[in-house]
Amino acid sequence: MTDKPTAARLAILISGAGSNMVAIAQACRDGRIPAQVAVVISDQPAAGGLQRARDLGLPVAVVDAAGYRREGRLDRSHFEAELETQIRAHGADMVILAGFMRILSAPFVARHPGRMLNIHPSLLPLYPGLDTHSCVLAAGDPEHGVTVHFVTAELDGGPAIIQARVPVLPADDVAKLSARVHAAEHIIYPMAIQWLASGRLQWNDGRPTLDGSALAAPVRHV
Ligand code: GAR
């Protein structure tokens, strides 16, 4: 008799509206991702995504970054220790950053090798960091996009898994461009998580493979 593989348990970390979290939770629910959402954790008590998670009946936890400020700075080690406690307490074995607007330390990242993903609203390596939509508009780029990548200690620098491109249109402003990027995010993030949770995507000490072949460049969705 063979053991049935245990479904992955996701800790989804958010700071804001949580639209990616909703897309992922729905994909888990309808069986597109062989995983369940173990907990949704926010560093912001007012994050809109917390109520969306509660409305979906998902467990939620708040690790309020403001409560970990010492002399005007985030006490990162205590903040991250509480994050880790919540992840473990809910039995999560995969960490999904979905609009989580905090940099995580190298020791925290090292505790989840190949089990932590992030979505970033640009065609990495273009525009790491913040305000990517404004940067793209200011540069006059004809296209923009989104990347799902493994998280490593390098900010927005881990191996990229999948990218989607969107056009930049003449009448675009940040809101219009962001909406177009979000629509692409809601397609490719569940895909990447499905690959990892099903074992199609493997980490191999930082040399990812998809279906047994080296992932030398991200899959190009569109
Ligand atoms: C998304 O556009 C995501 O790519 C971005 O935050 C937004 C969250 O939206 N993440 C980053 O900028 C990380 N550097 P959501 O809360 O509606 O999912």
Side-chain angles (χ1 to χ4, degrees):
M1 196 175 92
T2 52
D3 286 339
K4 201 171 166 226
T6 322
R9 290 179 59 80
L10 313 181
I12 305 181
L13 274 54
I14 64 168
S15 299
S19 70
N20 279 284
M21 176 275 298
V22 170
I24 294 161
Q26 285 170 342
C28 290
R29 241 172 223 183
D30 69 20
R32 276 177 291 142
I33 300 177
Q36 75 181 80
V37 180
V39 63
V40 175
I41 305 176
S42 177
D43 64 326
Q44 303 291 333
L50 282 171
Q51 190 54 47
R52 297 174 91 171
R54 289 190 194 99
D55 291 345
L56 287 166
L58 300 172
V60 301
V62 176
V63 182
D64 184 356
Y68 292 85
R69 292 191 81 77
R70 306 278 178 270
E71 293 166 6
R73 298 182 51 162
L74 179 69
D75 176 349
R76 193 176 303 281
S77 67
H78 285 99
F79 170 73
E80 290 184 348
E82 182 57 21
L83 270 187
E84 195 68 57
T85 297
Q86 291 295 335
I87 290 166
R88 283 168 193 254
H90 289 88
D93 56 12
M94 209 181 276
V95 179
I96 304 297
L97 307 183
F100 186 68
M101 305 306 279
R102 299 252 156 221
I103 295 173
L104 294 165
S105 72
F108 184 91
V109 172
R111 282 194 288 275
H112 304 276
R115 304 293 288 174
M116 195 183 327
L117 303 185
N118 182 41
I119 190 157
H120 182 76
S122 80
L123 295 169
L124 290 171
L126 292 177
Y127 309 117
L130 299 174
D131 299 325
T132 61
H133 309 307
S134 310
C135 292
V136 164
L137 289 171
D141 293 352
E143 67 173 8
H144 185 25
V146 54
T147 305
V148 177
H149 64 94
F150 283 106
V151 177
T152 62
E154 187 190 346
L155 178 66
D156 299 327
I161 299 163
I162 183 168
Q163 290 185 322
R165 283 156 205 273
V166 300
V168 180
L169 303 179
D172 273 349
D173 53 20
V174 166
K176 287 180 186 152
L177 190 52
S178 162
R180 199 172 304 123
V181 168
H182 264 101
E185 294 186 343
H186 301 162
I187 296 168
I188 69 166
Y189 212 1
M191 286 174 75
I193 297 166
Q194 193 273 334
W195 293 344
L196 189 61
S198 66
R200 288 181 59 191
L201 177 65
Q202 309 235 331
W203 171 244
N204 305 311
D205 282 334
R207 287 177 299 281
T209 55
L210 182 62
D211 296 329
S213 298
L215 193 64
V219 172
R220 188 170 162 165
H221 177 61
V222 279

